[in-house]
Amino acid sequence: MSTAVRRKRNSPNNPVKKEKEDSILSKKKNDVKEPLVSWRKLLGRFLFTVLILGVIFFSTMHKSVNEIIFASQRETIDRRSHRVNCSPDYDKEKHLASCLPKICGRVVTDTLITPEEAQQLLKLAKKGFSYGESDGGASILDLYSGALSMGRKFVNIYKNPEYANMFTEDDFKVYRNVKTKIQSTISMEFGAMPNDLYPTQPTFFSRITSKAAKTIHDEYWHPHVDKETYESFHYTSLLYLSNYGVTFSGGQFVFIDKNINATIEPKLGRLSMFTSGSENLHYVEKVVSGERFALTISFTCDKKFAIKQIGPK
Ligand SMILES: *[C@@H]1O[C@H](CO)[C@@H](O)[C@H](O)[C@H]1NC(C)=O
């Protein structure tokens, strides 16, 4: 046996030697067929691209599955509602029961506020912001307190003679009419006794652009609950005064729900009303370009937070 092994080792077909020869051969082969390697590289790159595209495709699919457009800019909605369970936020306010929401959720309507009213309010807002705006992307004009964004601060348009007569009695009239319509619709939709519901602060016009934020007041995109920001709030209404995808991009309003997010695309004259508790956690997407105008009118059940007339005092 040992002789046989020895013979094998000494044989000219030594496997080690053969391996060496093979590798030299294959090296030569590779040198000759250089383009084959490039094709392999190309194929690799192609497959990698396909993989990346696949990941992007499925992640956007995933996003669209978990995000519904509750109100698209292209449609005109007579009335659309989405009911959600009321959060326990209202439990500690039993003394206000006649006005607290019987039903919680959101309602959108494009037909309650007329196009003329929306146009007039837009004109009013533009006039206001021509006097002052925030250095960052988000300016506000509060017709009740008179606060107007100015640089990194606010000025009071009712205290400064420079701004006197900025608004006419007609401006205030259209605002009041719109507010009254919204108030009665909210009480009907959510089961609040109309006489126990009051406008509250802040109530303001907003103008958002894509400018970088300069102060905390410019950071509108954080998810939040209105009732946590302003304890007095029970109902929030938003009247949009410009068209998503037309005069601005980005800036969609998003309700964050457990399994699905619901997006409202702003539209001139579109009114969104919702209960202000944590059942309606939401945020606004960053505005990417253009100008986004809206009017926020909030309501409370607590008389001590009620505001009376807007306009100079
Ligand atoms: C809803 O939006 C929030 C904030 O952008 C996000 O963190 C959350 O994952 C979204 N939820 C779903 C179900 O897509």
Side-chain angles (χ1 to χ4, degrees):
M1 239 185 105
S2 69
T3 38
V5 169
R6 201 172 291 145
R7 211 176 282 152
K8 244 190 179 172
R9 267 190 192 156
N10 293 339
S11 81
N13 288 337
N14 186 323
V16 177
K17 219 178 169 185
K18 201 173 182 242
E19 242 176 56
K20 257 187 188 165
E21 277 170 13
D22 275 352
S23 78
I24 287 163
L25 248 172
S26 71
K27 238 186 192 168
K28 271 184 188 157
K29 259 186 211 162
N30 283 352
D31 284 343
V32 175
K33 294 190 176 175
E34 174 107 56
L36 188 72
V37 178
S38 301
W39 277 111
R40 250 184 229 155
K41 262 189 194 162
L42 272 179
L43 184 69
R45 277 179 200 160
F46 174 73
L47 288 177
F48 183 72
T49 309
V50 167
L51 181 80
I52 293 293
L53 286 177
V55 167
I56 291 170
F57 177 73
F58 280 106
S59 63
T60 48
M61 280 260 296
H62 189 71
K63 201 182 169 189
S64 67
V65 164
N66 290 317
E67 208 172 303
I68 54 151
I69 308 291
F70 183 65
S72 151
Q73 191 273 329
R74 285 184 298 276
E75 57 185 337
T76 299
I77 297 165
D78 196 34
R79 178 188 174 276
R80 183 170 297 162
S81 69
H82 179 206
R83 207 171 154 160
V84 292
N85 290 332
C86 293
S87 62
D89 299 3
Y90 310 97
D91 291 355
K92 52 186 181 296
E93 300 178 302
K94 292 264 161 59
H95 59 292
L96 304 171
S98 64
C99 166
L100 292 180
K102 308 279 173 298
I103 295 165
C104 288
R106 308 105 197 212
V107 179
V108 167
T109 170
D110 297 336
T111 52
L112 183 76
I113 307 304
T114 67
E116 292 73 30
E117 287 169 326
Q119 286 289 358
Q120 265 180 288
L121 289 172
L122 175 62
K123 252 172 85 181
L124 194 167
K126 284 186 171 171
K127 189 161 61 174
F129 293 120
S130 73
Y131 286 81
E133 61 174 319
S134 165
D135 282 348
S139 307
I140 64 111
L141 166 64
D142 186 330
L143 282 193
Y144 178 73
S145 69
L148 171 69
S149 300
M150 187 71 75
R152 295 181 184 220
K153 297 203 175 80
F154 300 93
V155 292
N156 188 339
I157 59 163
Y158 298 142
K159 289 241 168 91
N160 193 327
E162 215 183 299
Y163 308 111
N165 311 317
M166 184 161 153
F167 299 115
T168 62
E169 195 43 45
D170 263 7
D171 288 335
F172 293 124
K173 209 165 118 190
V174 62
Y175 177 90
R176 285 183 200 120
N177 283 344
V178 164
K179 179 214 71 190
T180 304
K181 280 209 255 185
I182 297 174
Q183 183 163 356
S184 54
T185 308
I186 283 181
S187 56
M188 216 170 58
E189 289 288 352
F190 301 106
M193 286 293 283
N195 294 337
D196 298 329
L197 186 62
Y198 311 93
T200 190
Q201 255 192 312
T203 276
F204 58 92
F205 288 92
S206 59
R207 171 183 178 266
I208 308 180
T209 69
S210 59
K211 265 193 191 172
K214 292 279 156 43
T215 71
I216 189 91
H217 300 293
D218 295 316
E219 299 188 14
Y220 55 85
W221 56 84
H222 301 293
H224 65 275
V225 170
D226 287 351
K227 204 167 173 31
E228 281 170 12
T229 315
Y230 304 104
E231 213 192 321
S232 59
F233 277 37
H234 290 100
Y235 303 94
T236 307
S237 77
L238 298 168
L239 175 62
Y240 294 108
L241 301 175
S242 32
N243 287 301
Y244 165 79
V246 181
T247 54
F248 68 96
S249 58
Q252 305 97 312
F253 178 102
V254 183
F255 285 114
I256 302 175
D257 293 336
K258 224 181 214 139
N259 300 313
I260 195 157
N261 285 353
T263 299
I264 295 176
E265 296 177 351
K267 176 181 174 122
L268 180 77
R270 171 166 289 169
L271 176 68
S272 154
M273 297 161 280
F274 53 92
T275 48
S276 308
S278 48
E279 66 278 2
N280 279 322
L281 175 66
H282 63 271
Y283 73 100
V284 173
E285 294 272 4
K286 283 190 183 176
V287 168
V288 175
S289 66
E291 292 177 303
R292 177 196 196 266
F293 290 96
L295 169 61
T296 302
I297 305 182
S298 45
F299 296 90
T300 185
C301 295
D302 197 335
K303 203 172 178 178
K304 71 172 184 274
F305 295 115
I307 56 173
K308 295 196 177 68
Q309 286 290 63
I310 53 141
K313 280 150 205 94

